[in-house]
Amino acid sequence: MTGPSQSKLIAISLRETKRIALSRRRAKDRILDESIFVPDGANTAITHAFFWMFMANGVGIALAWLLLVPSSGYWMGELTYGRWIPVHLNLHLYGWTSLPLVAWLLRLYAPQDDHPSAAARASVWAWSMSLMVGAIAWLRGETSGKIFLDWIGLARVLYPTVMLFLWSVLFRQWWANRQVPGWAPVVQMVGLLILASVPMAVFWASGREVYPAVNADSGGPTGMSLLGSTLIVVLLLLLVPQLQNRATWGQKLVIPRLCWLTFLFQVGIVMTLGFHHATHHDWHQWLGLGTLASWIILMPLYYRGFLWPPKSMRWQRAMLFWFGLLVATGWLSFLPKVLDHLKFTDALVAHTHLAMAGFVTSFNLFLIGLLAPSSLADHIHRPIAFWLWNGATATYVIVMWVAGAFEGADPSFTIIRGIARELLYAIRFTAGLVLFCVSLIWWRAARSAMIQR
Amino acid sequence: MIPSLQSISWRSTGLITATYFYFLIFAQFAFLKAIELTGEAASLKLVMGTMGFAGILGSLTSPLFLKHWEWKIVLRIGFLSCGMMAFLSLASWTSAHAWSMIAGGIGFSLGIVTVTLVSQLRNLSGNHHWGMSGGLGTGLAYFTCNVPAVFRASPFDQSLIAGIVCVAAFFGTSIKIESSSIQEMRQSSPEMHAPFVVMLLAFTLLIWLDSAAFFIIQNDRELLGSTWGSDTLLWRNGSVHLLVAVFAGWWLESRNSLSPVFLALGILAVASWLVNDALTREVGGAIYPVGVSLYSTCLVVFPAYWLGHLSLHRRTFLASLLYAVAGWLGSGMGIGMAENLHRVPLAFVMVVLGFTGVVLAHEWLRKYCRELATCTTLLALAFVGSELQGNAVLSSQASISSIHNGREVYVSEGCIHCHSRYVRPSEDDITNWGPQVSYEEALKECPPLFGNRRQGPDLLNVGLRRSRAWLKAHFINPQLLVPMSTMPRYDYLFSDDRGESLIDFLMDPQASAKARYETIQNWNLTYPSDASHEVSNAWKLFQHHCSACHGEDGMGNGEARADLARSPANLRYGPFIYSRDPKEIPRILKFGIMGTDMPGHEYIPDSDIIAISSYVKSLRHSPHSYSTP
């Protein structure tokens, strides 16, 4: 290489470095100047979400205690373990998991005039009311018998009705904003059209006559069902930076393009292999599910391309870590021999908690950190609560995996309580107690942030 | 801040004590007992009705008396009249009319005394601590009534004491009051946040509940015994009354808050619900005095001080309304309810609690009225929708069998959260839980109950592994048959037909017994390389898995034997004595005996089966010489 061309190259390189640095600084300034507007309804939804997380965790530790000391449940009469489980599961799914997404929707469709929307607030209260009605029904022994779709009777009609009401609130806000220039109203309308199908889908799926494809060798879901449901999560993860309008820096378009192409490819796999009954011994199933492993690398790269408030990075990293672990262990657990060993054991409990306490919670807290007023966001980003939560979750998951491994080899490990089982379950209870206490702290912080407003 | 003794108006305290004492020990108790003792029990209703009617009349006419006469004169006449009625009742009247006339006199005099006293209490108290006077006066009255010597005295003695107390009160009213203190007190009258009508309704419900609960306690000998049956209980009740009343007085004055009224309402609602049931009666009886003392203090203090900012005429009128409606009418309603229904209906308790909740949370309700309106509307819409949907489902259903009901119980109790109903096509699963049923068959059920956790065994082929009797005993007390089981007790399912239906569902054959039999016959025991530990542990394993039925020494005399259809085998002298097949005992231990109460132990490791088997054989070989470690 000649001298002048080398100096030219160095000059170009320096110029490029300066450009990137400038773009990064501008983007950072934009973040710092960005005043977070939190609509009233979204704020209410966040507070309610924390409340339900606290309640669900409370029920959770009570259940963990019942497995340690079954006799302590005698005084509860008909409110036995089996009736509390749907309360625990559904409060987590429809309360803690769903309400931050409701908050996000209310933020995305927020009226431009910053006018507090009583209807949005009311829709969140109605959501909580439907959960309460559901919880009462489950405790009364009224359930469809389908895990995570226990809605039946009044609750089965009420929950979709509340969803429709929320949809009407979003529609009203979209209508008020429809004249806003740009593509936003069109994108929002497409979103509304998709959301309109959700209430009916929930009502239909809760029906006893409807049941998804079955893995005949395990009695559980097929690989394609798992791939399909995980792709919804992937879609959500891909949409968050886009819909939050996060600034990009120094990112070549190749990563986002690769991500969307991978996503479409996997949707294609699901469509091709279909939702028919198939076993995990069928190589199509476990190989198809295995394509999810690509996200362990792609998703962090994708998120790296956007600029985020520095404080939110802690929960973002946790979210990406738990997501990667969930995908990896989920696939490993589905493999022939492994699933045969772990099915129906505590390993499933470990997987569920890895998903809910690990991934979903960190995703929600990351999202809430972006949506919530600074007083609450500061609280969420505090390192003590962060490490307590993630440490307790990791402990919980490991303990349950160990218990599951023992149980897979010897069913009597769980059915007849021995010292090893008791010890593991005691650690699990302690970890649950930590999760419960942290959720109480968060709920209190959300409440006081709400009151301050 | 705790007030000093000098700051309490002892005159007001004494007059309140006298009035309450007269009402509690005489009007409500000794007088009625005296009628019963003279053989006129049949006329009790008439007498009580007359007293109630006269009480209303006395309360309502008090403002008229106070308009024309000085309040001291009215109060003196009232006390004198009360005393006279007490002395008159000492004669053993044999006519129902005579008793009714006295009852009328009691009611009328009490009506006048109570309304006059509470409407003039601020004049009597001067600048003293009004709340403490009210609380202490009420508490002392309840305490004195519960002193064993007074409580157990004859109706004659009780009436006599009540008469004397009234005479003392008559003289207690003749003390001068400084007029300046009245002005000062008027300025410091606390503000009433709730409308008078709400308070009137609250007090009516309180007295309604109190009277109903009191009537139920009085008419249940067992409950009466556990509430007022011993001197200790009487001292306890008296002390609780005194402490709670003083606390209520302090609370009302220091916080200027009427919250004790609604707290009392909540406590009495719960107490009157608890006294309905034999199991919870004692708890209800124990918390009942707390609610009574709380509201009794409020009943004195509220009209005296919360209505203090009103003119004398208006204050007297409202006080008369309060005592006529809440006091006398509420009391009559409560007694009537308890007498006719013999219980306080849950609906009534819920109404009271609902009313309390609304009053206490009215600020919150006002703030969130839109949210509440939305929730109510959506709930109503959903209710209509679910009713329509429910009717459609019901009309499409054919006859419902016991198995179907049992399946509903299985779903309802959340059995799927601990048990699977799916045998996987693996050797282990088929050996342990019975023949496989194809997923196509399973999917015909709505919904299929595959489950996703096995805290306990798979429940697909229970009928091939357990007997009805064993299942029932296990549902009622799981830890009796499986000592370290985490299974909850489901004894409540057998209070109706749910339990039997659930067993019908579980026993319903899903696969053929022949297939299960073949599996059992083809089963090969896996002998571990070193079984010494397990064998040494055999006695413990036997106690754990077998002793509940076969007894600790294998004689077939276990605790659970009474629950089984046939007595468990005597393992020392029983049928195994002649068993020659070395695999037979391990096989029975593992799979049980189909068609009998002998259950399998499918989930325990083969090493444990070998150990228990050795132990059982040892019982057989040396039935008399085997000794436990």
Side-chain angles (χ1 to χ4, degrees), chain A residues 74 78 83 118 121 141 156 208 216 344 346 407 417, chain B residues 370-371 389 408 412-413 422 424 453-454 479 484 498:
Chain A
Y74 291 168
E78 299 206 5
R83 292 203 188 178
R121 263 199 330 264
R156 187 183 171 202
R208 286 184 165 185
F344 295 130
D346 272 328
E407 195 187 340
R417 293 150 52 210
Chain B
R370 283 181 182 176
E371 285 83 348
Q389 186 209 359
E408 287 301 312
S412 168
E413 298 301 325
Y422 190 74
R424 292 173 293 174
R453 188 71 192 89
R454 278 182 188 160
Q479 285 71 29
M484 291 300 277
R498 283 179 295 171

PDB file of all heavy atoms in Angstrom, chain A residues 74 78 83 118 121 141 156 208 216 344 346 407 417, chain B residues 370-371 389 408 412-413 422 424 453-454 479 484 498:
ATOM      1  N   TYR A  74     -55.135 -27.934  56.223  1.00  0.00           N
ATOM      2  CA  TYR A  74     -56.388 -28.575  56.657  1.00  0.00           C
ATOM      3  C   TYR A  74     -57.470 -27.565  57.031  1.00  0.00           C
ATOM      4  O   TYR A  74     -58.643 -27.767  56.778  1.00  0.00           O
ATOM      5  CB  TYR A  74     -56.135 -29.492  57.856  1.00  0.00           C
ATOM      6  CG  TYR A  74     -55.322 -30.725  57.522  1.00  0.00           C
ATOM      7  CD1 TYR A  74     -54.793 -31.516  58.534  1.00  0.00           C
ATOM      8  CD2 TYR A  74     -55.094 -31.106  56.204  1.00  0.00           C
ATOM      9  CE1 TYR A  74     -54.031 -32.649  58.230  1.00  0.00           C
ATOM     10  CE2 TYR A  74     -54.348 -32.217  55.902  1.00  0.00           C
ATOM     11  CZ  TYR A  74     -53.812 -32.988  56.914  1.00  0.00           C
ATOM     12  OH  TYR A  74     -53.075 -34.095  56.617  1.00  0.00           O
ATOM     13  N   GLU A  78     -62.370 -26.371  51.767  1.00  0.00           N
ATOM     14  CA  GLU A  78     -62.435 -26.703  50.340  1.00  0.00           C
ATOM     15  C   GLU A  78     -61.386 -25.959  49.510  1.00  0.00           C
ATOM     16  O   GLU A  78     -61.188 -26.269  48.343  1.00  0.00           O
ATOM     17  CB  GLU A  78     -63.830 -26.399  49.785  1.00  0.00           C
ATOM     18  CG  GLU A  78     -64.919 -27.209  50.458  1.00  0.00           C
ATOM     19  CD  GLU A  78     -66.135 -27.413  49.589  1.00  0.00           C
ATOM     20  OE1 GLU A  78     -66.126 -27.010  48.432  1.00  0.00           O
ATOM     21  OE2 GLU A  78     -67.106 -28.003  50.104  1.00  0.00           O
ATOM     22  N   ARG A  83     -57.164 -25.883  43.982  1.00  0.00           N
ATOM     23  CA  ARG A  83     -57.981 -24.715  43.639  1.00  0.00           C
ATOM     24  C   ARG A  83     -57.141 -23.438  43.618  1.00  0.00           C
ATOM     25  O   ARG A  83     -57.508 -22.466  42.954  1.00  0.00           O
ATOM     26  CB  ARG A  83     -59.118 -24.569  44.650  1.00  0.00           C
ATOM     27  CG  ARG A  83     -60.123 -25.694  44.538  1.00  0.00           C
ATOM     28  CD  ARG A  83     -61.439 -25.262  45.104  1.00  0.00           C
ATOM     29  NE  ARG A  83     -62.362 -26.378  45.185  1.00  0.00           N
ATOM     30  CZ  ARG A  83     -63.572 -26.270  45.682  1.00  0.00           C
ATOM     31  NH1 ARG A  83     -63.987 -25.110  46.152  1.00  0.00           N
ATOM     32  NH2 ARG A  83     -64.379 -27.316  45.730  1.00  0.00           N
ATOM     33  N   ALA A 118     -60.112   8.993  31.355  1.00  0.00           N
ATOM     34  CA  ALA A 118     -60.828   8.252  32.399  1.00  0.00           C
ATOM     35  C   ALA A 118     -61.199   6.868  31.892  1.00  0.00           C
ATOM     36  O   ALA A 118     -61.167   5.889  32.641  1.00  0.00           O
ATOM     37  CB  ALA A 118     -62.063   9.017  32.808  1.00  0.00           C
ATOM     38  N   ARG A 121     -58.278   4.495  32.197  1.00  0.00           N
ATOM     39  CA  ARG A 121     -58.126   4.070  33.596  1.00  0.00           C
ATOM     40  C   ARG A 121     -59.191   3.038  33.944  1.00  0.00           C
ATOM     41  O   ARG A 121     -58.911   2.015  34.558  1.00  0.00           O
ATOM     42  CB  ARG A 121     -58.283   5.272  34.514  1.00  0.00           C
ATOM     43  CG  ARG A 121     -56.989   5.901  34.943  1.00  0.00           C
ATOM     44  CD  ARG A 121     -57.160   6.756  36.188  1.00  0.00           C
ATOM     45  NE  ARG A 121     -58.450   7.384  36.355  1.00  0.00           N
ATOM     46  CZ  ARG A 121     -58.749   8.619  35.991  1.00  0.00           C
ATOM     47  NH1 ARG A 121     -57.834   9.360  35.400  1.00  0.00           N
ATOM     48  NH2 ARG A 121     -59.942   9.120  36.209  1.00  0.00           N
ATOM     49  N   GLY A 141     -63.985 -23.534  42.583  1.00  0.00           N
ATOM     50  CA  GLY A 141     -63.904 -24.802  41.857  1.00  0.00           C
ATOM     51  C   GLY A 141     -64.495 -24.720  40.467  1.00  0.00           C
ATOM     52  O   GLY A 141     -64.767 -25.737  39.832  1.00  0.00           O
ATOM     53  N   ARG A 156     -65.632 -16.353  31.888  1.00  0.00           N
ATOM     54  CA  ARG A 156     -65.263 -16.602  30.490  1.00  0.00           C
ATOM     55  C   ARG A 156     -65.858 -15.534  29.566  1.00  0.00           C
ATOM     56  O   ARG A 156     -65.286 -15.208  28.525  1.00  0.00           O
ATOM     57  CB  ARG A 156     -65.751 -17.997  30.070  1.00  0.00           C
ATOM     58  CG  ARG A 156     -65.246 -18.385  28.696  1.00  0.00           C
ATOM     59  CD  ARG A 156     -65.793 -19.716  28.253  1.00  0.00           C
ATOM     60  NE  ARG A 156     -65.461 -19.968  26.866  1.00  0.00           N
ATOM     61  CZ  ARG A 156     -66.116 -20.796  26.078  1.00  0.00           C
ATOM     62  NH1 ARG A 156     -67.148 -21.470  26.542  1.00  0.00           N
ATOM     63  NH2 ARG A 156     -65.758 -20.965  24.834  1.00  0.00           N
ATOM     64  N   ARG A 208     -64.077 -26.004  26.304  1.00  0.00           N
ATOM     65  CA  ARG A 208     -63.603 -27.345  26.641  1.00  0.00           C
ATOM     66  C   ARG A 208     -63.421 -28.240  25.412  1.00  0.00           C
ATOM     67  O   ARG A 208     -62.675 -29.208  25.453  1.00  0.00           O
ATOM     68  CB  ARG A 208     -64.588 -28.011  27.600  1.00  0.00           C
ATOM     69  CG  ARG A 208     -64.509 -27.451  28.990  1.00  0.00           C
ATOM     70  CD  ARG A 208     -65.421 -28.188  29.927  1.00  0.00           C
ATOM     71  NE  ARG A 208     -65.082 -27.881  31.303  1.00  0.00           N
ATOM     72  CZ  ARG A 208     -65.651 -28.464  32.337  1.00  0.00           C
ATOM     73  NH1 ARG A 208     -66.595 -29.368  32.162  1.00  0.00           N
ATOM     74  NH2 ARG A 208     -65.296 -28.146  33.564  1.00  0.00           N
ATOM     75  N   ALA A 216     -47.988 -37.297  21.201  1.00  0.00           N
ATOM     76  CA  ALA A 216     -48.508 -38.580  21.693  1.00  0.00           C
ATOM     77  C   ALA A 216     -47.543 -39.275  22.647  1.00  0.00           C
ATOM     78  O   ALA A 216     -47.956 -40.043  23.512  1.00  0.00           O
ATOM     79  CB  ALA A 216     -48.814 -39.499  20.512  1.00  0.00           C
ATOM     80  N   PHE A 344     -43.518 -34.412  33.243  1.00  0.00           N
ATOM     81  CA  PHE A 344     -44.327 -34.557  34.464  1.00  0.00           C
ATOM     82  C   PHE A 344     -43.526 -34.340  35.747  1.00  0.00           C
ATOM     83  O   PHE A 344     -44.018 -34.628  36.833  1.00  0.00           O
ATOM     84  CB  PHE A 344     -45.005 -35.937  34.548  1.00  0.00           C
ATOM     85  CG  PHE A 344     -46.015 -36.207  33.480  1.00  0.00           C
ATOM     86  CD1 PHE A 344     -45.973 -37.378  32.743  1.00  0.00           C
ATOM     87  CD2 PHE A 344     -47.034 -35.302  33.217  1.00  0.00           C
ATOM     88  CE1 PHE A 344     -46.912 -37.643  31.757  1.00  0.00           C
ATOM     89  CE2 PHE A 344     -47.978 -35.559  32.224  1.00  0.00           C
ATOM     90  CZ  PHE A 344     -47.921 -36.733  31.485  1.00  0.00           C
ATOM     91  N   ASP A 346     -40.568 -31.964  38.271  1.00  0.00           N
ATOM     92  CA  ASP A 346     -40.311 -30.590  38.705  1.00  0.00           C
ATOM     93  C   ASP A 346     -39.489 -29.809  37.694  1.00  0.00           C
ATOM     94  O   ASP A 346     -39.392 -28.578  37.807  1.00  0.00           O
ATOM     95  CB  ASP A 346     -39.597 -30.597  40.057  1.00  0.00           C
ATOM     96  CG  ASP A 346     -40.591 -30.619  41.213  1.00  0.00           C
ATOM     97  OD1 ASP A 346     -41.681 -30.049  41.059  1.00  0.00           O
ATOM     98  OD2 ASP A 346     -40.277 -31.221  42.252  1.00  0.00           O
ATOM     99  N   GLU A 407     -36.476 -36.836  40.202  1.00  0.00           N
ATOM    100  CA  GLU A 407     -37.838 -37.376  40.062  1.00  0.00           C
ATOM    101  C   GLU A 407     -37.980 -38.196  38.783  1.00  0.00           C
ATOM    102  O   GLU A 407     -38.683 -39.210  38.762  1.00  0.00           O
ATOM    103  CB  GLU A 407     -38.821 -36.209  40.059  1.00  0.00           C
ATOM    104  CG  GLU A 407     -40.251 -36.612  40.277  1.00  0.00           C
ATOM    105  CD  GLU A 407     -41.191 -35.432  40.089  1.00  0.00           C
ATOM    106  OE1 GLU A 407     -40.754 -34.271  40.166  1.00  0.00           O
ATOM    107  OE2 GLU A 407     -42.377 -35.701  39.845  1.00  0.00           O
ATOM    108  N   ARG A 417     -42.172 -38.115  50.482  1.00  0.00           N
ATOM    109  CA  ARG A 417     -41.253 -37.025  50.831  1.00  0.00           C
ATOM    110  C   ARG A 417     -40.068 -37.525  51.650  1.00  0.00           C
ATOM    111  O   ARG A 417     -40.219 -37.985  52.767  1.00  0.00           O
ATOM    112  CB  ARG A 417     -42.005 -35.963  51.619  1.00  0.00           C
ATOM    113  CG  ARG A 417     -43.043 -35.258  50.798  1.00  0.00           C
ATOM    114  CD  ARG A 417     -44.211 -34.786  51.631  1.00  0.00           C
ATOM    115  NE  ARG A 417     -43.794 -34.016  52.775  1.00  0.00           N
ATOM    116  CZ  ARG A 417     -44.467 -33.965  53.916  1.00  0.00           C
ATOM    117  NH1 ARG A 417     -45.573 -34.678  54.062  1.00  0.00           N
ATOM    118  NH2 ARG A 417     -44.047 -33.229  54.900  1.00  0.00           N
TER     119      ARG A 417
ATOM    120  N   ARG B 370     -66.219   6.483  38.310  1.00  0.00           N
ATOM    121  CA  ARG B 370     -66.255   6.125  36.883  1.00  0.00           C
ATOM    122  C   ARG B 370     -65.786   4.692  36.677  1.00  0.00           C
ATOM    123  O   ARG B 370     -66.394   3.929  35.921  1.00  0.00           O
ATOM    124  CB  ARG B 370     -65.357   7.051  36.086  1.00  0.00           C
ATOM    125  CG  ARG B 370     -65.966   8.401  35.858  1.00  0.00           C
ATOM    126  CD  ARG B 370     -65.019   9.230  35.039  1.00  0.00           C
ATOM    127  NE  ARG B 370     -65.545  10.554  34.843  1.00  0.00           N
ATOM    128  CZ  ARG B 370     -64.885  11.512  34.229  1.00  0.00           C
ATOM    129  NH1 ARG B 370     -63.684  11.283  33.757  1.00  0.00           N
ATOM    130  NH2 ARG B 370     -65.414  12.700  34.082  1.00  0.00           N
ATOM    131  N   GLU B 371     -64.701   4.378  37.348  1.00  0.00           N
ATOM    132  CA  GLU B 371     -64.166   3.023  37.222  1.00  0.00           C
ATOM    133  C   GLU B 371     -65.192   1.999  37.723  1.00  0.00           C
ATOM    134  O   GLU B 371     -65.405   0.957  37.094  1.00  0.00           O
ATOM    135  CB  GLU B 371     -62.868   2.879  38.033  1.00  0.00           C
ATOM    136  CG  GLU B 371     -61.656   3.527  37.404  1.00  0.00           C
ATOM    137  CD  GLU B 371     -61.555   5.019  37.695  1.00  0.00           C
ATOM    138  OE1 GLU B 371     -62.533   5.602  38.200  1.00  0.00           O
ATOM    139  OE2 GLU B 371     -60.500   5.609  37.404  1.00  0.00           O
ATOM    140  N   GLN B 389     -75.471 -18.015  27.510  1.00  0.00           N
ATOM    141  CA  GLN B 389     -74.577 -19.099  27.095  1.00  0.00           C
ATOM    142  C   GLN B 389     -74.832 -20.350  27.943  1.00  0.00           C
ATOM    143  O   GLN B 389     -74.920 -21.459  27.435  1.00  0.00           O
ATOM    144  CB  GLN B 389     -73.129 -18.644  27.268  1.00  0.00           C
ATOM    145  CG  GLN B 389     -72.121 -19.621  26.733  1.00  0.00           C
ATOM    146  CD  GLN B 389     -70.808 -19.527  27.517  1.00  0.00           C
ATOM    147  OE1 GLN B 389     -70.663 -18.726  28.428  1.00  0.00           O
ATOM    148  NE2 GLN B 389     -69.880 -20.359  27.152  1.00  0.00           N
ATOM    149  N   GLU B 408     -66.359 -33.862  36.599  1.00  0.00           N
ATOM    150  CA  GLU B 408     -66.465 -32.443  36.924  1.00  0.00           C
ATOM    151  C   GLU B 408     -65.783 -32.141  38.262  1.00  0.00           C
ATOM    152  O   GLU B 408     -65.136 -31.110  38.421  1.00  0.00           O
ATOM    153  CB  GLU B 408     -67.940 -32.008  36.990  1.00  0.00           C
ATOM    154  CG  GLU B 408     -68.614 -31.904  35.642  1.00  0.00           C
ATOM    155  CD  GLU B 408     -67.928 -30.905  34.723  1.00  0.00           C
ATOM    156  OE1 GLU B 408     -67.654 -29.784  35.166  1.00  0.00           O
ATOM    157  OE2 GLU B 408     -67.622 -31.274  33.568  1.00  0.00           O
ATOM    158  N   SER B 412     -62.878 -29.656  38.855  1.00  0.00           N
ATOM    159  CA  SER B 412     -63.153 -28.575  39.804  1.00  0.00           C
ATOM    160  C   SER B 412     -62.118 -28.510  40.928  1.00  0.00           C
ATOM    161  O   SER B 412     -61.705 -27.423  41.335  1.00  0.00           O
ATOM    162  CB  SER B 412     -64.558 -28.818  40.359  1.00  0.00           C
ATOM    163  OG  SER B 412     -64.812 -28.022  41.432  1.00  0.00           O
ATOM    164  N   GLU B 413     -61.711 -29.664  41.429  1.00  0.00           N
ATOM    165  CA  GLU B 413     -60.762 -29.687  42.548  1.00  0.00           C
ATOM    166  C   GLU B 413     -59.321 -29.502  42.086  1.00  0.00           C
ATOM    167  O   GLU B 413     -58.399 -29.491  42.908  1.00  0.00           O
ATOM    168  CB  GLU B 413     -60.883 -31.003  43.331  1.00  0.00           C
ATOM    169  CG  GLU B 413     -62.240 -31.226  43.978  1.00  0.00           C
ATOM    170  CD  GLU B 413     -62.611 -30.117  44.958  1.00  0.00           C
ATOM    171  OE1 GLU B 413     -61.709 -29.598  45.631  1.00  0.00           O
ATOM    172  OE2 GLU B 413     -63.792 -29.753  45.011  1.00  0.00           O
ATOM    173  N   TYR B 422     -52.459 -39.770  31.778  1.00  0.00           N
ATOM    174  CA  TYR B 422     -51.912 -40.120  30.464  1.00  0.00           C
ATOM    175  C   TYR B 422     -50.727 -41.061  30.653  1.00  0.00           C
ATOM    176  O   TYR B 422     -49.706 -40.667  31.225  1.00  0.00           O
ATOM    177  CB  TYR B 422     -51.469 -38.866  29.713  1.00  0.00           C
ATOM    178  CG  TYR B 422     -51.135 -39.142  28.265  1.00  0.00           C
ATOM    179  CD1 TYR B 422     -52.152 -39.376  27.347  1.00  0.00           C
ATOM    180  CD2 TYR B 422     -49.825 -39.187  27.829  1.00  0.00           C
ATOM    181  CE1 TYR B 422     -51.864 -39.639  26.015  1.00  0.00           C
ATOM    182  CE2 TYR B 422     -49.523 -39.453  26.496  1.00  0.00           C
ATOM    183  CZ  TYR B 422     -50.552 -39.678  25.592  1.00  0.00           C
ATOM    184  OH  TYR B 422     -50.275 -39.956  24.280  1.00  0.00           O
ATOM    185  N   ARG B 424     -47.746 -42.809  29.113  1.00  0.00           N
ATOM    186  CA  ARG B 424     -46.913 -42.680  27.912  1.00  0.00           C
ATOM    187  C   ARG B 424     -46.513 -44.070  27.399  1.00  0.00           C
ATOM    188  O   ARG B 424     -46.492 -45.033  28.194  1.00  0.00           O
ATOM    189  CB  ARG B 424     -45.658 -41.865  28.247  1.00  0.00           C
ATOM    190  CG  ARG B 424     -45.988 -40.423  28.556  1.00  0.00           C
ATOM    191  CD  ARG B 424     -44.777 -39.681  29.056  1.00  0.00           C
ATOM    192  NE  ARG B 424     -44.335 -40.173  30.359  1.00  0.00           N
ATOM    193  CZ  ARG B 424     -43.222 -39.778  30.966  1.00  0.00           C
ATOM    194  NH1 ARG B 424     -42.427 -38.898  30.386  1.00  0.00           N
ATOM    195  NH2 ARG B 424     -42.886 -40.253  32.147  1.00  0.00           N
ATOM    196  N   ARG B 453     -48.113 -32.560  35.506  1.00  0.00           N
ATOM    197  CA  ARG B 453     -47.272 -32.717  36.688  1.00  0.00           C
ATOM    198  C   ARG B 453     -47.690 -34.003  37.394  1.00  0.00           C
ATOM    199  O   ARG B 453     -48.868 -34.369  37.363  1.00  0.00           O
ATOM    200  CB  ARG B 453     -47.511 -31.495  37.584  1.00  0.00           C
ATOM    201  CG  ARG B 453     -46.625 -31.334  38.753  1.00  0.00           C
ATOM    202  CD  ARG B 453     -45.208 -30.962  38.433  1.00  0.00           C
ATOM    203  NE  ARG B 453     -44.407 -31.111  39.639  1.00  0.00           N
ATOM    204  CZ  ARG B 453     -43.807 -32.242  39.999  1.00  0.00           C
ATOM    205  NH1 ARG B 453     -43.847 -33.303  39.240  1.00  0.00           N
ATOM    206  NH2 ARG B 453     -43.131 -32.320  41.113  1.00  0.00           N
ATOM    207  N   ARG B 454     -46.708 -34.674  38.005  1.00  0.00           N
ATOM    208  CA  ARG B 454     -47.041 -35.861  38.802  1.00  0.00           C
ATOM    209  C   ARG B 454     -46.508 -35.699  40.213  1.00  0.00           C
ATOM    210  O   ARG B 454     -45.466 -36.251  40.555  1.00  0.00           O
ATOM    211  CB  ARG B 454     -46.461 -37.129  38.164  1.00  0.00           C
ATOM    212  CG  ARG B 454     -47.308 -37.684  37.031  1.00  0.00           C
ATOM    213  CD  ARG B 454     -46.715 -38.964  36.470  1.00  0.00           C
ATOM    214  NE  ARG B 454     -47.429 -39.393  35.275  1.00  0.00           N
ATOM    215  CZ  ARG B 454     -46.919 -40.223  34.369  1.00  0.00           C
ATOM    216  NH1 ARG B 454     -45.688 -40.692  34.531  1.00  0.00           N
ATOM    217  NH2 ARG B 454     -47.614 -40.566  33.313  1.00  0.00           N
ATOM    218  N   GLN B 479     -52.914 -39.144  54.657  1.00  0.00           N
ATOM    219  CA  GLN B 479     -51.691 -39.436  55.411  1.00  0.00           C
ATOM    220  C   GLN B 479     -51.827 -40.680  56.278  1.00  0.00           C
ATOM    221  O   GLN B 479     -50.819 -41.224  56.745  1.00  0.00           O
ATOM    222  CB  GLN B 479     -51.302 -38.236  56.285  1.00  0.00           C
ATOM    223  CG  GLN B 479     -50.682 -37.076  55.509  1.00  0.00           C
ATOM    224  CD  GLN B 479     -51.673 -36.332  54.642  1.00  0.00           C
ATOM    225  OE1 GLN B 479     -52.855 -36.275  54.952  1.00  0.00           O
ATOM    226  NE2 GLN B 479     -51.211 -35.768  53.537  1.00  0.00           N
ATOM    227  N   MET B 484     -46.307 -40.018  54.232  1.00  0.00           N
ATOM    228  CA  MET B 484     -45.594 -38.801  53.826  1.00  0.00           C
ATOM    229  C   MET B 484     -46.211 -38.165  52.582  1.00  0.00           C
ATOM    230  O   MET B 484     -45.558 -37.413  51.864  1.00  0.00           O
ATOM    231  CB  MET B 484     -44.120 -39.113  53.579  1.00  0.00           C
ATOM    232  CG  MET B 484     -43.353 -39.457  54.832  1.00  0.00           C
ATOM    233  SD  MET B 484     -43.382 -38.112  56.025  1.00  0.00           S
ATOM    234  CE  MET B 484     -42.070 -37.088  55.395  1.00  0.00           C
ATOM    235  N   ARG B 498     -70.409 -35.725  45.948  1.00  0.00           N
ATOM    236  CA  ARG B 498     -69.247 -35.457  45.095  1.00  0.00           C
ATOM    237  C   ARG B 498     -68.166 -36.525  45.234  1.00  0.00           C
ATOM    238  O   ARG B 498     -67.545 -36.941  44.259  1.00  0.00           O
ATOM    239  CB  ARG B 498     -68.661 -34.082  45.428  1.00  0.00           C
ATOM    240  CG  ARG B 498     -69.446 -32.923  44.871  1.00  0.00           C
ATOM    241  CD  ARG B 498     -68.818 -31.608  45.251  1.00  0.00           C
ATOM    242  NE  ARG B 498     -68.848 -31.381  46.695  1.00  0.00           N
ATOM    243  CZ  ARG B 498     -68.212 -30.386  47.309  1.00  0.00           C
ATOM    244  NH1 ARG B 498     -67.492 -29.536  46.620  1.00  0.00           N
ATOM    245  NH2 ARG B 498     -68.294 -30.233  48.627  1.00  0.00           N
TER     246      ARG B 498
END
